[in-house]
Amino acid sequence: MHNTSDTVPLISVEAIHKSFPGVKALVNARFDLRPGEVHALMGENGAGKSTLMKIMTGIYQPDAGEIHVGGQKVSLSDPRTAQALGISIIHQELFLMNHLTAAQNIYIGREPRKGFGMFVDEARMRADTAALFARMKVDLDPDVEVGTLTVARQQLVEIAKALSFNSRILIMDEPTSAINDKEVEHLFAIINDLKAHGVGIIYITHKMDEVKRIADRVTVMRDGQYIDTLPAVTTDMSKIISLMVGRELADATRATGQGGDVVLDVKNLNSGRAIRDVSFSLRKGEILGFAGLMGAGRTEVARAIFGADPIDSGEISIHGVTQAIRSPQDAVRLGLAYLSEDRKHYGLVTSMTVGDNVTMASWPRFTRSRFFMNDARMREAANDYVQKLRIKTPSVDQETRLLSGGNQQKIVISKWLLRDCDILIFDEPTRGIDIGAKAEIYKLLQSLADQGKAIIVISSELPEVLRLSHRILVMCEGRITGELMGRDATQESIMILATQR
Amino acid sequence: MTDLTLDQAGKTKSALVSTSTLQKGVAFVVLIALLVFFSVFTENFAAWNNVVNIMQATAVNGVLGVAVTFVIISGGIDLAVGTMMTLTAVMAGIILTNLGMPLPLGILGAMASGAVMGAISGTAVAKLKIPPFIATLGMMQIARGLALVFSGTRPIYFNDTPNYGLISPESSLALLIPGLEIPNGVMIMFIVAIIASIILNRTLFGRYIFALGSNEEAARLSGVNVDFWKILTYALSGLICGIAGLIISSRLNSAQPALGLGYELDAIAAVVIGGTSLSGGRGTILGTIIGAFIMSVLTNGLRIMGVQEEWKIVVTGVIIIVAVFVDIMLRRRA
Ligand SMILES: Nc1ncnc2c1ncn2[C@@H]1O[C@H](COP(=O)(O)OP(=O)(O)OP(=O)(O)O)[C@@H](O)[C@H]1O
Ligand SMILES: [Mg+2]
């Protein structure tokens, strides 16, 4: 059934070049998509995947190159043109309007009308949205204000929006980066259904297992260049990885280590329905994993400890001393760091430079007499981390919003490493990060623990929790439902606890 | 993957800088064009006398513009700058004329009262979470009312403080370089602008102002004491209003308690023409000063050309819209 090479591709792009100031994002890139296939696009952070997709949807104009849709040469001068040609996209970064409802977001700009086109047909819009959600098997209210939803649910709205166009070409840029396993299953079911109807899907992801499961072909990009296209099922994962990375990766070994003194002790933490009677302790040199399904309350616990949200009751001691942490500022002063799961809203000031962001939590340290900024020293420190974490940016003076998603995440991590806190809470630290960088971040976390830092890692990827944690706490519906030693834990044992009520 | 990092770094930086410098550049070109236009088509525009007039007229709006630039970059707005200016002038009048205290105390009093009023606005915004527009709208009325109450609704003259004219209309520069009679008020505006520029671009405080205006939540989660820096921003704005209050009352040799309303809109217009984003996180002091000059050159030039007073207001409105439009176009292209 993959014998479709003789049919006309739905879309093909060739010899695409695209430069931004200081960055050659695409150099001779190419890609093609056949009817009824899932074509995965893989590559490291900053390889140019999102840029290529933005060219295929009319958001960016290529500097050079040709685009054919259904065998016809076209020029995609704006997103509307692309939409009219049957191309739609689920963006990596969410582009939703927070104050509008889910239904309003999905049908923005093409609202169904009534009364001679004078009024929006709210009832139909709502019904259509409900139908979309039903098809995706998600339990969402079309009338809910999008801003009140978690990142995961927002991503579902974004997916629904893309589906609503009924396009022949559907691009998914890391659609599963925030949603849970069950939701991923539903998405895959929809993808299979679309395939059967001849829709072509371009699927960008950093997750190998997803590629194996749903992709027909894989195209690998590196440094803006086309590298190769391979059949997904028969090609070895390691082959794809080495094409992506262009170098050998460190071996995956499980973390080992045991803690020293207790540095953080949380007793009977409560906050509304999100956190119920949570108690645990964290030791020096330990990596404590927090596993659980999306919405289990892990982020809420982290934010409460960090003073970002108020708590109802509970006691937090740091280095044996009970502390009242009322704001993130208190927390940072006590040596706590929190790396948020939602980098764009909570982690970065995207209009400021890479250097500014890396040093942001430590600005007072980069001053002369606590008044004048010492930009030279700031740049130097930032440069150090750009190299250490291999952040792909033309310089530390680049505006952060111009970096690829994964590289932005590395900046947030750098910020807290530079701050030199001794209790680090990482909430989904590798979301959207490529395989190579992931391995580096794992190595980094392990070495931080070896240096005596105490680390909490919240992650929805079980292999990640298993790989990193010395000890694992599992949460479900706001409670801690169990504790496992890293050595003995398995995906199954975690899942059992994660679904225990 | 790191090979593109170094060689192009320099190029990128210049490309980035150019968006904001471009906007300043546009404002600057507009200013020059206006100057040339009026010099060619009117007789008296370029006369030294008139140039001094223009500078005088710019001083107050320029200083107020600087005050409000800080607040706008931090993501807020300050509608109270005009009436706070008036209140600080009245305070100077009370201290110098009514209480007969020495000049330095009057200067200090004006600046300190401005800073306190600003800190109150800032506290309302930061601690009570009142939207800046509302909080400073309230402060605008409070300051206006207090100015009238404290002065007994009558102007306070500075006849007993002979040196008061030193603040604005007189020119100390002319004593050093005869002929170069730039009024002190104008020199004060330039000094305020230079110091403000340094604070904004070179200090920790300035960096926090940009961070607040760009993403306050991210700054908070980085452990930044957001409330403190916000209050400080409004207090600084108030303090600079105090300087404006001194300049205007020195020029009029009196504190006019009924004055002040409407000055905030001119100041905001200067900021916007100068390319500072009303949504925060982006802007420059130099742009604001150029913006203030554009407004006074326009007013002055049109007056000399004999254009009806009311039409000048219309033209100023058009300039604001055009300036922002050009800014948006430039940013889209970049
Ligand atoms: N508007 C822009 N201005 C300047 N540089 C840009 C812009 N958009 C992307 N880039 C740069 O182009 C390169 C490719 O970025 P792109 O977002 O396509 O990467 P990606 O493959 O999607 O990475 P990720 O997996 O991290 O999402 C990066 O180096 C990025 O910094
Ligand atoms: Mg991307």
Side-chain angles (χ1 to χ4, degrees):
Chain A
M1 81 159 281
H2 302 305
N3 194 9
T4 42
S5 47
D6 49 337
T7 60
V8 183
L10 286 171
I11 185 168
S12 71
V13 296
E14 244 164 87
I16 301 283
H17 291 259
K18 177 73 185 173
S19 294
F20 297 110
V23 185
K24 285 198 178 106
L26 294 173
V27 184
N28 209 0
R30 68 167 190 263
F31 194 86
D32 73 279
L33 180 70
R34 298 168 190 160
E37 79 161 342
V38 174
H39 191 161
L41 178 58
M42 301 196 77
E44 287 189 298
N45 296 132
K49 305 179 294 292
S50 298
T51 306
L52 186 60
M53 293 308 116
K54 284 178 184 163
I55 284 174
M56 290 167 67
T57 46
I59 295 170
Y60 290 156
Q61 305 307 311
D63 300 338
E66 286 196 357
I67 304 172
H68 293 262
V69 174
Q72 220 88 20
K73 188 173 171 203
V74 294
S75 108
L76 302 173
S77 50
D78 54 55
R80 269 197 118 78
T81 315
Q83 262 168 26
L85 287 166
I87 309 169
S88 64
I89 181 165
I90 301 170
H91 282 287
Q92 178 176 15
E93 310 291 348
L94 303 166
F95 283 112
L96 296 170
M97 280 140 274
N98 283 338
H99 296 298
L100 300 188
T101 66
Q104 286 165 347
N105 262 289
I106 290 171
Y107 288 100
I108 186 103
R110 52 197 178 102
E111 293 82 356
R113 302 293 180 84
K114 64 178 180 190
F116 307 106
M118 297 219 302
F119 300 98
V120 174
D121 188 347
E122 297 277 354
R124 216 185 102 201
M125 203 162 84
R126 213 171 289 144
D128 289 353
T129 305
L132 276 172
F133 287 154
R135 181 168 156 215
M136 291 164 63
K137 298 197 174 60
V138 300
D139 175 31
L140 263 174
D141 178 2
D143 286 329
V144 67
E145 220 177 89
V146 159
T148 64
L149 297 173
T150 60
V151 191
R153 316 229 100 198
Q154 290 186 7
Q155 197 160 38
L156 293 171
V157 175
E158 183 91 36
I159 292 171
K161 182 175 176 179
L163 290 177
S164 72
F165 283 98
N166 290 321
S167 312
R168 280 176 311 142
I169 300 163
L170 184 53
I171 301 171
M172 303 188 173
D173 197 347
E174 304 196 31
T176 59
S177 63
I179 61 180
N180 72 30
D181 289 348
K182 208 168 83 209
E183 290 158 345
V184 172
E185 287 310 318
H186 294 320
L187 178 66
F188 283 3
I190 294 169
I191 289 179
N192 280 325
D193 183 49
L194 291 170
K195 268 176 73 166
H197 287 89
V199 174
I201 293 160
I202 304 176
Y203 194 92
I204 300 181
T205 186
H206 291 296
K207 298 176 184 166
M208 279 296 165
D209 51 326
E210 291 187 350
V211 171
K212 282 278 170 194
R213 276 197 49 199
I214 57 155
D216 299 298
R217 292 190 295 161
V218 186
T219 287
V220 176
M221 289 182 67
R222 189 167 74 225
D223 292 341
Q225 284 172 332
Y226 171 86
I227 301 293
D228 206 355
T229 302
L230 304 153
V233 182
T234 52
T235 309
D236 246 10
M237 280 204 205
S238 57
K239 163 100 188 208
I240 297 174
I241 293 174
S242 67
L243 285 177
M244 264 169 56
V245 182
R247 62 175 190 276
E248 289 296 311
L249 279 186
D251 245 6
T253 49
R254 270 210 187 182
T256 49
Q258 78 288 337
D261 303 338
V262 171
V263 291
L264 171 70
D265 196 30
V266 175
K267 276 205 195 86
N268 310 108
L269 196 66
N270 278 291
S271 173
R273 292 173 55 207
I275 307 174
R276 303 182 195 183
D277 205 29
V278 165
S279 302
F280 68 92
S281 58
L282 172 70
R283 294 170 178 283
K284 191 172 153 77
E286 180 183 47
I287 300 180
L288 177 62
F290 264 76
L293 299 176
M294 214 63 73
R298 296 163 303 163
T299 295
E300 286 76 4
V301 168
R303 285 180 59 94
I305 295 172
F306 192 62
D309 296 330
I311 58 173
D312 295 339
S313 64
E315 198 179 289
I316 298 168
S317 337
I318 288 168
H319 297 296
V321 184
T322 308
Q323 302 282 1
I325 300 176
R326 291 203 189 80
S327 67
Q329 187 202 338
D330 291 342
V332 172
R333 208 180 39 236
L334 291 165
L336 250 70
Y338 171 61
L339 184 131
S340 163
E341 62 177 334
D342 182 351
R343 62 171 172 264
K344 217 170 74 183
H345 288 118
Y346 304 131
L348 291 169
V349 180
T350 51
S351 64
M352 297 186 88
T353 67
V354 172
D356 280 331
N357 275 287
V358 170
T359 53
M360 176 168 289
S362 326
W363 277 350
R365 236 168 71 199
F366 293 94
T367 51
R368 293 189 206 94
S369 48
R370 300 210 105 226
F371 189 71
F372 288 106
M373 294 302 287
N374 187 340
D375 278 306
R377 265 196 42 226
M378 218 172 81
R379 265 202 208 93
E380 206 177 293
N383 243 324
D384 208 34
Y385 279 93
V386 164
Q387 255 142 44
K388 260 195 222 159
L389 270 66
R390 303 163 66 88
I391 298 172
K392 189 167 175 178
T393 174
S395 87
V396 293
D397 298 318
Q398 181 82 321
E399 261 181 77
T400 312
R401 74 188 161 87
L402 302 178
L403 266 58
S404 79
N407 283 298
Q408 292 183 355
Q409 181 73 350
K410 292 184 191 177
I411 291 174
V412 187
I413 296 179
S414 308
K415 172 170 82 180
W416 292 116
L417 294 182
L418 180 66
R419 184 62 174 73
D420 206 19
C421 295
D422 36 84
I423 302 168
L424 300 151
I425 306 173
F426 289 86
D427 197 348
E428 306 287 357
T430 64
R431 170 173 297 166
I433 284 200
D434 69 58
I435 292 218
K438 231 178 198 171
E440 280 158 33
I441 286 170
Y442 292 165
K443 225 166 51 191
L444 200 85
L445 290 187
Q446 180 62 48
S447 81
L448 288 170
D450 292 343
Q451 289 162 33
K453 302 221 181 283
I455 296 171
I456 292 176
V457 174
I458 299 172
S459 174
S460 299
E461 287 180 43
L462 290 179
E464 177 164 293
V465 177
L466 288 169
R467 156 89 207 266
L468 276 172
S469 315
H470 303 158
R471 192 157 57 93
I472 299 167
L473 293 174
V474 187
M475 283 190 72
C476 180
E477 296 187 343
R479 292 177 213 285
I480 292 184
T481 49
E483 177 175 342
L484 300 162
M485 290 315 289
R487 285 188 301 285
D488 320 322
T490 60
Q491 301 215 11
E492 293 70 38
S493 58
I494 292 178
M495 280 317 289
I496 290 169
L497 290 169
T499 49
Q500 195 170 77
R501 333 217 124 180
Chain B
M1 64 181 272
T2 40
D3 50 65
L4 60 83
T5 44
L6 294 177
D7 51 344
Q8 286 154 331
K11 216 172 78 197
T12 306
K13 193 175 177 203
S14 60
L16 268 176
V17 168
S18 63
T19 0
S20 56
T21 36
L22 219 57
Q23 167 63 22
K24 261 182 289 167
V26 169
F28 192 65
V29 169
V30 169
L31 179 58
I32 300 291
L34 286 175
L35 289 174
V36 171
F37 177 84
F38 287 127
S39 308
V40 172
F41 289 99
T42 67
E43 274 186 15
N44 306 324
F45 179 80
W48 177 247
N49 249 342
N50 191 47
V51 171
V52 170
N53 273 343
I54 292 174
M55 289 198 289
Q56 284 265 33
T58 313
V60 169
N61 193 27
V63 171
L64 286 181
V66 170
V68 82
T69 302
F70 281 105
V71 179
I72 289 178
I73 294 179
S74 81
I77 187 88
D78 197 343
L79 297 177
V81 290
T83 56
M84 282 203 301
M85 168 184 82
T86 306
L87 181 62
T88 58
V90 168
M91 291 306 285
I94 289 172
I95 292 171
L96 296 176
T97 304
N98 298 6
L99 303 177
M101 294 208 240
L103 182 57
L105 276 184
I107 294 176
L108 218 65
M111 287 164 59
S113 58
V116 169
M117 299 301 281
I120 294 172
S121 301
T123 309
V125 171
K127 295 288 185 196
L128 308 182
K129 312 290 174 212
I130 297 171
F133 192 94
I134 312 288
T136 59
L137 188 67
M139 182 54 74
M140 171 168 120
Q141 298 293 21
I142 292 172
R144 186 163 83 115
L146 286 181
L148 290 166
V149 171
F150 289 168
S151 63
T153 72
R154 275 185 303 275
I156 305 175
Y157 292 92
F158 292 97
N159 294 331
D160 307 335
T161 316
N163 281 337
Y164 202 67
L166 263 181
I167 297 175
S168 178
E170 287 169 29
S171 173
S172 305
L173 197 64
L175 298 180
L176 293 173
I177 313 165
L180 201 60
E181 278 174 36
I182 298 180
N184 286 352
V186 175
M187 296 306 292
I188 292 175
M189 174 187 74
F190 284 125
I191 294 168
V192 166
I194 290 169
I195 295 176
S197 215
I198 291 173
I199 291 179
L200 201 53
N201 298 310
R202 296 260 166 271
T203 69
L204 186 62
F205 180 27
R207 208 59 59 98
Y208 281 135
I209 289 175
F210 278 106
L212 286 185
S214 309
N215 189 346
E216 186 181 323
E217 193 56 19
R220 188 172 83 97
L221 289 177
S222 295
V224 174
N225 190 344
V226 167
D227 291 353
F228 171 78
W229 296 108
K230 234 189 225 174
I231 293 171
L232 201 61
T233 306
Y234 283 89
L236 178 65
S237 168
L239 183 143
I240 300 173
C241 291
I243 299 176
L246 291 165
I247 296 175
I248 195 166
S249 56
S250 166
R251 201 175 81 209
L252 303 173
N253 191 34
S254 60
Q256 299 283 348
L259 208 77
L261 223 49
Y263 277 72
E264 69 286 337
L265 293 182
D266 280 347
I268 293 169
V271 174
V272 169
I273 293 173
T276 293
S277 157
L278 267 187
S279 45
R282 189 172 60 88
T284 60
I285 298 291
L286 179 58
T288 297
I289 296 293
I290 294 175
F293 267 108
I294 288 180
M295 290 178 65
S296 47
V297 164
L298 208 65
T299 317
N300 180 285
L302 292 177
R303 184 191 308 136
I304 291 182
M305 283 182 85
V307 175
Q308 194 188 330
E309 188 78 18
E310 287 70 22
W311 274 113
K312 287 177 341 208
I313 307 175
V314 175
V315 173
T316 320
V318 172
I319 287 282
I320 293 172
I321 293 172
V322 169
V324 174
F325 174 70
V326 169
D327 183 36
I328 290 169
M329 290 314 288
L330 285 174
R331 286 165 59 70
R332 192 171 296 162
R333 270 219 344 253

